[in-house]
Amino acid sequence: MKNILKKITLVAGAAFLLTSCIEETFPESSTVTSDQVAASPVALEAMVNSIPTAMIMPMQYTEYAWDFGYPAIAVSMTHMTGDLVAGGENGYNWFSYWDSNESLSEEYVLGYQFWYNYYSWIKSCNDVIATVAAVPQEQWNVDQRHFMGIALAYRSFFYLDLVRLFEPKVPTDPGVKRYEVSQDIQGLGCVIVTEKTTPEQAASNPRATVADIYDQVILPDLALAETCLIDYERTAKTMPDISVVYGLSARAYLERGYAGVEGAYAKAAEYARKAITAGGYTPLTQDQWENPTTGFNSFEANSNSWMWCTTQTSDQVGNLHSFIAHMSTEENWTNYGKTVGRSINKNLYDAIPSDDFRKHTWLDPQFFDYYEYKSCRPDAKTFFLERYNGTDYTKEYASLKFRPGQGDYTTYSIGNAIDFPTMRMEEMLLIEAEAVGAQNLEQGKKLLEAFVQTRQPSYNCMVASQKDFEKEIGMQARVEFWGEGIPFFYKKRMGLGINLANSNCKVDDARFELVGVAPWWNLCIPKTERLSNPAITAEMNNPDPNETVDPVIE
């Protein structure tokens, strides 16, 4: 693979996507009206089903191998944290841009992965919401109420991700250069587009404040979704139920608590516990975690823990544009997975105690002498030590977390067809511990100990300060959710920095060492959006992060 990306000027259609979010779903000339569709459970269900389907569609805006929906976004966010390194051949690493802070300004197409994907999914939510809203709320039947709740839950999820991705945080590391977050953009997030946004408003739509996005969209959506889904029984975990709504509320209130909003921490803890109770969830066991056939690829096999997920069937996957093709080190159909060898940062690995079963997620340098790793490959012991085309591909610290579907490492149409978790109950346990700890440190420590002891029986939380407690929460999130995207939000919110000096990072351009927030954690809005939306000027965009931090050359 040759790591070349073109600058962008204007892409037909994409620049007008936000305007299209508020166009009429059903033209006036149509013989089918919105209220007629709202009265049809089949039509409404098809609209709702299109939301999770769109989230796993590859090549929505580009043909690059990093464009395969929400799971790809999770991979990009993992690469940005510095907790993942390419242990093998980086030339096949399509996500190297997010490792090395390359081409992440508004000028490059990489921004499409976040901005346009999320807003296209929001459009699907808005279509459902507008259609159901054509019927007065007091007249909604059960199906209409449930479909409205699902769309609202999804929309809150998308906006919660967007506001956390695009809110600019001020880097504090003295080594950061040529990067200034001006007062004019501090506290800003993304733009708000709902089913009520008019074409005139969409034509010049400025970035909303973070507070307005929470107060006008995220929290009201979740409040109504809670009412709509209180009695909803889902048949698949691609759809949010009441436990997911509680989980999203816990995420949102945790963020508001960290921002200093009074009472938000108490609500975060309350909703986290309600999410766990509503679903009757329990943590993944060691056997589930290390299962060579169903480990982190099947919501059915992990249903006690998984609250929400995306899913792909064999007819929806290709050989390259998929999560397993990039994140599995066991697959046998592409160089993007086994040859790149996505691995944990050695510095993070070394911080995991030996009696924590999660340490078995990554191959120790002593390989099978250290632990009898379970693999779907019968040739695992030789496979992970082999040499390939004269280049050393030993897999120290390589991940075994994400298994090919059904344990099939040879057939891409089976191995790539997996479920991917978007919410697990373990996150609720961490949210509860952090939120309670923000109010009473000793109680928070007890909750954290109860969770971590399901992974490391000897664990004791020995921190003495609130700040150290937050860092310990962040550490547990980084280990628990490695590869799932979630640690990005912990690292940005807490300013946990990157520590890749003296590590297993072989790529000079990616070996960053900094404290606080990395500049590239403040995503840039694509230039195509600016060109079509005059309310977002160049000065109102997040700064260009390229060449703002010098890597450590060893």
Side-chain angles (χ1 to χ4, degrees), residues 253-254 256-258 260-271 435 439:
Y253 279 113
L254 181 68
R256 301 314 287 146
Y258 202 84
V261 175
E262 186 176 355
Y265 276 129
K267 284 185 174 290
E270 174 190 353
Y271 273 112
Q439 303 166 84

Side-chain angles (χ1 to χ4, degrees), residues 247-405:
L248 289 168
S249 298
R251 284 181 180 175
Y253 279 113
L254 181 68
E255 294 286 344
R256 301 314 287 146
Y258 202 84
V261 175
E262 186 176 355
Y265 276 129
K267 284 185 174 290
E270 174 190 353
Y271 273 112
R273 179 47 53 181
K274 288 172 71 173
I276 296 168
T277 301
Y281 299 112
T282 57
L284 289 172
T285 66
Q286 180 173 353
D287 286 343
Q288 288 175 305
W289 190 286
E290 299 182 22
N291 191 294
T293 302
T294 60
F296 286 93
N297 66 27
S298 168
F299 76 82
E300 290 182 345
N302 302 292
S303 61
N304 60 296
S305 160
W306 287 27
M307 299 170 62
W308 201 15
C309 69
T310 64
T311 189
Q312 285 183 291
T313 59
S314 290
D315 59 350
Q316 293 174 316
V317 299
N319 63 329
L320 302 179
H321 290 77
S322 69
F323 184 83
I324 289 298
H326 293 265
M327 289 296 287
S328 171
T329 58
E330 295 173 292
E331 58 78 32
N332 213 40
W333 54 83
T334 175
N335 286 319
Y336 298 167
K338 64 179 184 299
T339 306
V340 172
R342 284 174 177 79
S343 309
I344 190 172
N345 179 348
K346 174 185 181 296
N347 295 322
L348 177 57
Y349 179 85
D350 288 345
I352 305 172
S354 295
D355 62 336
D356 187 331
F357 74 70
R358 294 173 300 183
K359 194 158 190 168
H360 306 157
T361 307
W362 305 277
L363 293 171
D364 187 84
Q366 298 300 313
F367 294 96
F368 290 85
D369 290 340
Y370 174 80
Y371 183 70
E372 193 67 21
Y373 297 100
K374 300 174 184 177
S375 175
C376 62
R377 299 187 66 107
D379 62 342
K381 290 188 177 182
T382 55
F383 174 76
F384 288 116
L385 295 168
E386 69 183 5
R387 295 178 67 85
Y388 180 82
N389 288 344
T391 302
D392 189 1
Y393 284 97
T394 54
K395 309 293 187 181
E396 298 98 333
Y397 310 107
S399 169
L400 283 173
K401 182 173 182 178
F402 303 102
R403 311 294 186 151

Side-chain angles (χ1 to χ4, degrees), residues 27-270:
E28 292 181 3
S29 60
S30 173
T31 58
V32 180
T33 62
S34 295
D35 57 339
Q36 288 174 322
V37 173
S40 168
V42 174
L44 265 179
E45 185 175 18
M47 293 178 69
V48 170
N49 286 337
S50 72
I51 302 171
T53 299
M55 289 176 65
I56 48 86
M57 293 299 292
M59 297 179 287
Q60 290 290 288
Y61 298 101
T62 77
E63 294 184 357
Y64 294 114
W66 45 256
D67 188 359
F68 50 90
Y70 185 82
I73 288 173
V75 178
S76 296
M77 289 194 292
T78 302
H79 275 264
M80 280 192 283
T81 64
D83 290 343
L84 181 155
V85 303
E89 176 50 65
N90 195 54
Y92 289 105
N93 179 13
W94 276 98
F95 291 86
S96 64
Y97 310 102
W98 290 278
D99 283 336
S100 57
N101 183 29
E102 176 189 355
S103 304
L104 300 184
S105 74
E106 67 167 22
E107 299 283 348
Y108 292 85
V109 74
L110 290 159
Y112 282 27
Q113 187 192 49
F114 297 90
W115 189 265
Y116 287 122
N117 268 312
Y118 275 107
Y119 277 106
S120 69
W121 302 334
I122 287 170
K123 179 189 183 308
S124 297
C125 298
N126 287 342
D127 288 346
V128 174
I129 293 166
T131 302
V132 177
V135 177
Q137 184 171 343
E138 62 272 13
Q139 297 178 21
W140 289 348
N141 60 35
V142 172
D143 286 333
Q144 291 165 341
R145 177 163 54 82
H146 289 169
F147 291 142
M148 173 64 86
I150 290 169
L152 289 167
Y154 263 115
R155 188 168 73 177
S156 69
F157 170 50
F158 299 142
Y159 272 111
L160 183 55
D161 274 11
L162 278 170
V163 71
R164 293 184 291 176
L165 287 162
F166 286 91
E167 179 187 4
K169 301 283 190 178
V170 179
T172 56
D173 192 295
V176 176
K177 56 187 180 180
R178 296 189 300 275
Y179 191 88
E180 181 180 355
V181 179
S182 70
Q183 289 288 338
D184 291 339
I185 66 170
Q186 289 183 30
L188 296 184
C190 53
V191 302
I192 295 176
V193 183
T194 72
E195 81 285 0
K196 296 179 180 179
T197 305
T198 67
E200 292 75 21
Q201 291 169 332
S204 185
N205 196 2
R207 296 176 70 177
T209 66
V210 170
D212 282 348
I213 295 166
Y214 279 98
D215 294 343
Q216 296 178 17
V217 183
I218 296 172
L219 296 177
D221 278 3
L222 289 170
L224 182 53
E226 185 175 340
T227 299
C228 290
L229 297 179
I230 193 67
D231 60 348
Y232 171 61
E233 296 184 10
R234 57 185 172 178
T235 57
K237 287 198 174 180
T238 53
M239 292 300 171
D241 67 355
I242 191 65
S243 72
V244 172
V245 174
Y246 292 152
L248 289 168
S249 298
R251 284 181 180 175
Y253 279 113
L254 181 68
E255 294 286 344
R256 301 314 287 146
Y258 202 84
V261 175
E262 186 176 355
Y265 276 129
K267 284 185 174 290
E270 174 190 353

